[in-house]
Amino acid sequence: MKLNGSRSSTPKHQESRSISRVSGDARRLAELHARIRACTKCVAAGYLERARPIVAGSIRDRIAIVGQAPGAVEMTVGQPFSGRSGAELRRWLAEAGIDEDHLPYRTAITKCFPGKSPKGGGDRRPSPAEIALCGPWLEQELAILRPQVIVLLGGLAIDRFWGKVPLETAIGRSRVKDGVTYIPLPHPSGASRWLNDPGHRQLLTRALRIVRTEVRRLRKTSGREAFSAVAEHGRYKTGLHI
């Protein structure tokens, strides 16, 4: 007999709590996205003339892509990875088994277009001060989302989550920390010459194989969860994203 009067947990009660948690997290993420999109910290600090923070994804996404910063096309369209770099990234993702209809959560170290580099050859690299101002947003995103895999796209993201190392020592490898698998990828920008080296191209191919392996693992997990839902409750549990 339970002195506190609580009832024993049943599969139905457990599923109800799980659905309630996901619903609550979805609401928290939507509220966070609204606050991010309203952010003007870098404008107020004098780093940007105009703020338009860009972020996209669902609470059910189990893979998150962390890039460097949106580009000029993203600033206009309002969606991450919409320009030429984004098109190349989507080709990479397709090679790893992720199609256009199942794009992962997409965010970046900084959320606004930083402008073109004064030296030419691509976009300006966000300053340490801008990264610091934007950092809490990314921390809150990942805390709510709790992704199982984080793809680190480019040097800034790799520096933040992997450590400051040459790209060739990180690309083609993965690392698990606190239950999260981190997979570094080079930036797909055409301004980057890193991929001109055939050896670096081989490292990219190896990295995409790692992504594909993780995608397959997550899909197997989804299949087991769906089968369990059918067996216990007679229906399919929807909304299982990779």
Side-chain angles (χ1 to χ4, degrees), residues 3 22 67 115 142 144 158:
L3 297 179
V22 171
L142 297 179
I144 295 173
I158 293 171

Side-chain angles (χ1 to χ4, degrees), residues 33-53:
H33 281 185
R35 295 200 303 274
I36 290 174
R37 293 183 178 118
C39 180
T40 58
K41 291 179 182 179
C42 285
V43 173
Y47 300 120
L48 297 176
E49 293 183 0
R50 178 190 173 197
R52 190 181 183 186

